Amino acid sequence: MATEQTFIMVKPDGVQRGLVGEIIARFEKRGYQLVAAKLVHASQEHLEKHYEDLKGKGFFAGLVKYMASGPVMAMVWQGKDVVKQGRVLLGATNPLQSAPGTIRGDFAIDVGRNICHGSDAVDSAKKEIALWFGEQTPTIAYQRSADSWI
Ligand code: RTP
C-alpha cells in the first residue's frame, strides 16, 4: 500500500457533537489506516500558525477563536491517495455545497461550523503533521490482515 499521509482534524464542534467516532469509522471503512491520534486543546498561537495562509481573511479571528474554544481530535491517516480522497470524504468546505454522503454534507450546515479539517495537498499535509505532532511524528506502522483485501 502507498504510504501517503494526511492530517485530519475533528474540530471543536465535531468533538462537542460526539462525531469523533463517526468520522474515524468513515475513514476506516473506506480502507485508510489511523497511524497517529491525539486530543488537543490548541492555543490561539498554534492555530494562527496552522491557518497562517488565511491571515488576511475577514473570518480569520473568528476562525481561530472557534478552533480554540475546545479540544480537537488531531489525526494522521495513511493510504493510497489519502490526501485527495480524505477531502472527498469530508465534502466541500461550505456544508451547503457538500454532497449528501460526505461528512459535512451529512452533519453540517454552516461554513463556520464545518466539523472537520483535511490537508489540501501532500506538501501541506507534511507541514501540518509536523506542526501538530512534531518533526519526529510518532506514527505507528502496523499491518492489518484486511489490508491485502483493500
Ligand atoms: P479546512 O482547512 O478546514 O479543511 O478547510 P478548507 O481548506 O476547505 O478551507 P479554507 O479556505 O482553508 O478555510 C479554512 C476554514 O475556515 C473556515 N471558513 N470560514 N466565510 C467564512 O466564514 C469561512 N470561510 C472559511 C472554515 O471552517 C474552513 O474550513
Side-chain angles (χ1 to χ4, degrees), residues 47-61:
L47 291 159
E48 280 169 11
K49 219 169 202 174
H50 173 81
Y51 282 122
E52 65 185 0
D53 293 350
L54 300 176
K55 230 165 202 160
K57 302 279 183 187
F59 58 82
F60 182 75

Side-chain angles (χ1 to χ4, degrees), residues 11 51 54 59 63 66 87 93 104 111-112 114 116-118:
K11 295 179 176 181
Y51 282 122
L54 300 176
F59 58 82
L63 172 63
Y66 146 62
R87 301 269 296 183
T93 303
R104 289 166 175 155
V111 70
N114 63 355
C116 45
H117 161 81

Side-chain angles (χ1 to χ4, degrees), residues 62-149:
L63 172 63
V64 169
K65 197 171 164 208
Y66 146 62
M67 291 297 297
S69 67
V72 299
M73 186 68 174
M75 300 179 279
V76 180
W77 285 89
Q78 182 170 295
K80 199 172 186 179
D81 216 8
V82 70
V83 172
K84 197 166 144 208
Q85 291 305 323
R87 301 269 296 183
V88 173
L89 285 173
L90 300 190
T93 303
N94 184 345
L96 293 181
Q97 269 128 44
S98 310
T102 65
I103 292 164
R104 289 166 175 155
D106 286 348
F107 301 113
I109 53 173
D110 189 322
V111 70
R113 295 286 182 273
N114 63 355
I115 63 176
C116 45
H117 161 81
S119 307
D120 61 5
V122 173
D123 274 0
S124 43
K126 284 188 182 135
K127 263 172 68 182
E128 291 173 1
I129 291 168
L131 176 66
W132 287 85
F133 287 90
E135 291 294 340
Q136 300 297 319
T137 304
T139 55
I140 308 278
Y142 58 103
Q143 184 71 29
R144 299 173 301 188
S145 55
D147 284 339
S148 61
W149 295 93

